[in-house]
Amino acid sequence: MKKLITIISFVGMTVYMTSCNQSRPVNEGTTSYQSTTDPELAEFISKIKAVDNHSHVNTINPDDKGSDALPLDVLLPFEIPTRLRPESPDWLAAYKALYGFTGSELNEQSMKELMATMEKVMKEKGEKFPEWALDQTGIEVMLANRIAMGPGLSTPRFRWVSYVDALLFPLSTKTEAAVTPDREKLFPLEDQLLKKYLSDLNVSNKLPATLDEYLERVVAGTLEAQKNNGCIAMKFEVAYLRSLDFEKVGLQSASEVYSHYINGGEPSHEKYKLLQDFLFRYIAREAGRLGMAVHIHSFPAAGNYYVAANSDPLLLEPVFNDPELRNTKFVLIHAGGTFSEHTSAMLWKPNVYADISALTRLWTPDQLAIVLRDWLSQFPEKVLFGTDAASFGPGLGWELGAWIATATGRQALTIALSGMIRSNEVSRSRANEIATMVMRTNAGNLYNLRLK
Ligand SMILES: [Zn+2]
């Protein structure tokens, strides 16, 4: 069998996979769930216009480069969970739903025809292609986690979520990068992004001499510029680079480290951590002042040397409990993944939310429903729908991931809420209400989206 090289992007990354181009049976969708669900509720949920809290949607530029600050293709090859693999029946279901694919299998000939259809649709829709894809998927508003927005991604359908990790690392990152082989490849990308932020601000490549000046000109300057350009939230994916335990550090200690190393030298991890911790809380406070939410990647993956324990939501508890940060709204992106019970504990905090992005791509509806039921029984106003839609390469665009994740999310919600109706925990009308909150209105309120 001829080898088929497929490019796969996962949780905001692009990986190259080699797989056998085998004929595959048609599967109508994701996991079957009819036996345990309430058909009326399923029908209601299928029609809710969604707000997607997290995606890496692409512009219509074929060489779109701004969709992720840390594209993880630099870490290849690494393990890929089954639902993302080319042989997963999810892809076929998405081709059928979005592009009217009618074949019974994906082989060389049908793939060729399918690619031609996809190209034709994209050409016909032009700048409207991203909006068309949202319409097919039942998504009204998609948050776009990107370095910058671009053609085809305009408000009100697409709203910008920026990246701010680069601002945590103004000093040399050599020692930080040496901790794992993955970090050696990722830190240079943050160094480049900081340079871009400096050039956007017309600040020369030489950083300010004092921390005070760095905070005002570079950090606050960047965040304000993002806000002025329509950014509604800022994202940290810093769990790829270090642990999420950000301690409370005084300005004096942080300033000493900054001034000592800003002109060169390698700070020890202990010293650099003081500055990073200070900067993280400073940025979070600024986010509250500017009315922007803070998104934090909290998921035990991906890569070959990812430190799963570093992304445990419990590590963020001192940040969430900081009285100075109570004006800041935090969203645990991917809801902690397998740390979902810890996420449940963090939802007690008045300013903490969780989204189910990526879980809607990686887990089955049944798996996700179990976790959802725990959260929805306690804090239904804190849970947000999300996809983590991202391009997986030619023929595997972000719109397919968006469709698969939306179908999974609706199924999982239906299973969880049907169970809650069955056990008399909620009425059907309350179940409808909770479903609408998760799919749509919780995000609408959090970001003041003024949904109709
Ligand atoms: Zn993502």
Side-chain angles (χ1 to χ4, degrees):
M1 195 68 72
K2 194 179 152 204
K3 288 278 182 181
L4 172 75
I5 303 294
T6 312
I7 303 169
I8 292 232
S9 164
F10 153 60
V11 196
M13 64 198 164
T14 306
V15 299
Y16 292 82
M17 274 186 72
T18 306
S19 80
C20 280
N21 183 7
Q22 294 164 333
S23 296
R24 307 202 283 271
V26 176
N27 179 312
E28 289 296 334
T30 48
T31 308
S32 163
Y33 70 113
Q34 281 83 353
S35 57
T36 53
T37 54
D38 180 312
E40 260 181 63
L41 180 66
E43 171 78 4
F44 179 85
I45 290 176
S46 72
K47 292 191 172 136
I48 302 170
K49 294 282 172 213
V51 175
D52 177 0
N53 188 65
H54 179 70
S55 80
H56 303 277
V57 58
N58 292 107
T59 66
I60 56 161
N61 285 341
D63 62 342
D64 179 27
K65 296 266 188 262
S67 62
D68 201 343
L70 294 178
L72 300 184
D73 51 344
V74 293
L75 305 183
L76 286 170
F78 56 83
E79 301 291 330
I80 303 292
T82 55
R83 285 195 74 199
L84 293 183
R85 294 176 194 170
E87 65 270 24
S88 162
D90 292 337
W91 296 109
L92 193 52
Y95 289 137
K96 293 175 89 172
L98 289 172
Y99 294 105
F101 181 73
T102 52
S104 57
E105 61 176 32
L106 284 174
N107 53 36
E108 215 163 309
Q109 181 56 30
S110 62
M111 246 346 253
K112 221 167 149 188
E113 284 164 19
L114 184 57
M115 292 291 278
T117 306
M118 294 165 91
E119 216 168 281
K120 188 167 160 261
V121 172
M122 278 176 211
K123 217 172 178 177
E124 270 170 22
K125 305 291 174 194
E127 281 236 5
K128 291 278 173 203
F129 174 77
E131 278 188 30
W132 170 85
L134 292 196
D135 291 341
Q136 307 312 301
T137 307
I139 295 175
E140 182 173 331
V141 179
M142 178 176 259
L143 273 59
N145 188 195
R146 296 177 48 89
I147 292 171
M149 297 296 262
L153 305 181
S154 49
T155 54
R157 301 294 298 277
F158 294 93
R159 307 297 294 264
W160 185 30
V161 178
S162 64
Y163 289 98
V164 287
D165 306 280
L167 298 170
L168 299 179
F169 305 105
L171 310 179
S172 168
T173 53
K174 226 177 181 171
T175 309
E176 300 296 287
V179 176
T180 72
D182 283 1
R183 290 180 192 176
E184 260 177 353
K185 292 171 184 160
L186 296 176
F187 266 106
L189 300 173
E190 296 295 359
D191 296 343
Q192 277 170 30
L193 189 54
L194 183 58
K195 281 191 183 133
K196 178 192 175 329
Y197 287 160
L198 294 177
S199 120
D200 290 349
L201 292 166
N202 293 319
V203 173
S204 70
N205 265 345
K206 194 168 156 47
L207 283 155
T210 66
L211 180 57
D212 278 333
E213 220 184 325
Y214 176 71
L215 294 177
E216 194 190 315
R217 285 176 64 199
V218 180
V219 180
T222 299
L223 302 182
E224 278 164 18
Q226 290 177 349
K227 165 92 181 169
N228 292 338
N229 283 317
C231 188
I232 60 169
M234 57 189 76
K235 155 106 171 295
F236 284 102
E237 44 191 2
V238 69
Y240 283 103
L241 306 169
R242 52 155 283 171
S243 163
L244 293 178
D245 68 322
F246 297 99
E247 289 171 63
K248 194 150 188 157
V249 176
L251 175 64
Q252 184 61 31
S253 313
S255 289
E256 279 169 20
V257 177
Y258 183 93
S259 305
H260 193 278
Y261 294 101
I262 196 61
N263 291 319
E266 298 301 328
S268 65
H269 173 68
E270 290 66 30
K271 285 239 152 88
Y272 206 163
K273 186 175 182 299
L274 293 174
L275 178 61
Q276 293 163 26
D277 290 2
F278 174 87
L279 287 168
F280 179 89
R281 291 196 187 213
Y282 178 86
I283 292 168
R285 207 163 45 243
E286 281 293 288
R289 179 179 73 80
L290 293 165
M292 295 158 83
V294 173
H295 287 190
I296 305 172
H297 169 97
S298 176
F299 187 83
N304 285 308
Y305 296 93
Y306 189 88
V307 184
N310 279 354
S311 56
D312 187 337
L314 278 191
L315 294 168
L316 288 159
E317 187 164 31
V319 166
F320 298 154
N321 279 346
D322 184 344
E324 289 180 36
L325 298 178
R326 277 291 154 97
N327 286 331
T328 305
K329 288 172 174 162
F330 295 96
V331 186
L332 294 166
I333 301 296
H334 320 317
T338 41
F339 295 117
S340 64
E341 285 179 8
H342 293 178
T343 298
S344 179
M346 292 302 97
L347 293 179
W348 280 86
K349 318 293 177 190
N351 53 342
V352 176
Y353 300 74
D355 91 4
I356 56 171
S357 65
L359 309 185
T360 45
R361 283 297 277 111
L362 306 175
W363 293 357
T364 65
D366 283 317
Q367 283 174 296
L368 181 51
I370 292 165
V371 174
L372 271 176
R373 185 155 173 184
D374 168 34
W375 297 334
L376 298 183
S377 298
Q378 301 183 77
F379 303 107
E381 57 294 314
K382 299 292 204 63
V383 181
L384 310 170
F385 167 73
T387 63
D388 202 29
S391 173
F392 284 43
L396 297 165
W398 64 271
E399 75 281 10
L400 298 158
W403 185 88
I404 295 165
T406 308
T408 301
R410 291 186 203 276
Q411 288 181 14
L413 206 46
T414 305
I415 296 167
L417 288 167
S418 295
M420 289 165 76
I421 294 172
R422 261 200 319 276
S423 59
N424 293 320
E425 201 179 317
V426 293
S427 64
R428 174 170 284 113
S429 66
R430 179 60 179 158
N432 287 353
E433 224 170 76
I434 291 175
T436 309
M437 287 157 64
V438 173
M439 292 301 295
R440 178 181 171 81
T441 46
N442 286 346
N445 294 337
L446 174 58
Y447 306 110
N448 201 12
L449 294 177
R450 297 195 176 91
L451 302 171
K452 285 184 192 127

